[in-house]
Amino acid sequence: MHRRENLVLCGPWGTGKTSLLEALGQQAVEAGLKVAWFTLEDLRGVESPIVV
Protein backbone atom coordinates (compact mmCIF):
# COMPACT_ATOMS: atom_id res chain seq x y z
CA MET A 1 0.00 0.00 0.00
CA HIS A 2 2.77 2.44 0.71
CA ARG A 3 4.03 2.46 -2.88
CA ARG A 4 1.06 4.70 -3.85
CA GLU A 5 0.34 2.88 -7.09
CA ASN A 6 -2.96 2.46 -8.89
CA LEU A 7 -4.77 -0.85 -8.65
CA VAL A 8 -7.04 -2.17 -11.37
CA LEU A 9 -8.97 -5.38 -10.86
CA CYS A 10 -10.79 -7.11 -13.71
CA GLY A 11 -12.79 -10.30 -13.81
CA PRO A 12 -16.19 -11.89 -14.27
CA TRP A 13 -19.29 -10.67 -12.45
CA GLY A 14 -19.83 -12.12 -8.99
CA THR A 15 -16.25 -13.11 -8.16
CA GLY A 16 -15.71 -10.72 -5.21
CA LYS A 17 -13.74 -7.94 -6.90
CA THR A 18 -15.69 -5.16 -5.20
CA SER A 19 -15.51 -6.82 -1.78
CA LEU A 20 -11.76 -7.27 -2.07
CA LEU A 21 -11.18 -3.68 -3.16
CA GLU A 22 -13.46 -2.31 -0.44
CA ALA A 23 -11.48 -4.24 2.18
CA LEU A 24 -8.17 -2.98 0.80
CA GLY A 25 -9.51 0.57 0.66
CA GLN A 26 -10.71 0.36 4.26
CA GLN A 27 -7.30 -0.85 5.40
CA ALA A 28 -5.66 2.03 3.56
CA VAL A 29 -7.98 4.59 5.16
CA GLU A 30 -7.37 3.10 8.60
CA ALA A 31 -3.62 3.39 7.93
CA GLY A 32 -4.09 7.11 7.24
CA LEU A 33 -3.80 6.92 3.46
CA LYS A 34 -6.05 8.61 0.91
CA VAL A 35 -8.24 6.42 -1.27
CA ALA A 36 -9.98 7.19 -4.57
CA TRP A 37 -12.58 4.76 -5.93
CA PHE A 38 -13.63 4.60 -9.59
CA THR A 39 -15.62 2.25 -11.75
CA LEU A 40 -14.84 1.98 -15.44
CA GLU A 41 -18.07 3.84 -16.12
CA ASP A 42 -16.97 6.67 -13.79
CA LEU A 43 -13.70 7.14 -15.64
CA ARG A 44 -15.42 7.94 -18.91
CA GLY A 45 -16.43 11.44 -17.82
CA VAL A 46 -14.61 12.15 -14.58
CA GLU A 47 -12.50 15.32 -14.46
CA SER A 48 -11.03 14.93 -10.97
CA PRO A 49 -11.16 12.11 -8.43
CA ILE A 50 -13.11 12.13 -5.19
CA VAL A 51 -10.55 11.62 -2.45
CA VAL A 52 -11.66 10.18 0.87
Side-chain angles (χ1 to χ4, degrees):
M1 274 194 242
H2 295 285
R3 293 185 348 198
R4 296 182 183 201
E5 295 182 18
N6 294 329
L7 176 64
V8 177
L9 192 60
C10 303
W13 178 82
T15 56
K17 298 176 301 296
T18 300
S19 296
L20 174 62
L21 293 174
E22 286 176 348
L24 289 172
Q26 183 63 37
Q27 281 189 326
V29 169
E30 290 173 4
L33 302 173
K34 293 181 180 178
V35 174
W37 177 273
F38 302 102
T39 64
L40 183 60
E41 292 80 15
D42 293 336
L43 290 176
R44 290 183 192 171
V46 125
E47 292 181 19
S48 62
I50 298 171
V51 178
V52 177

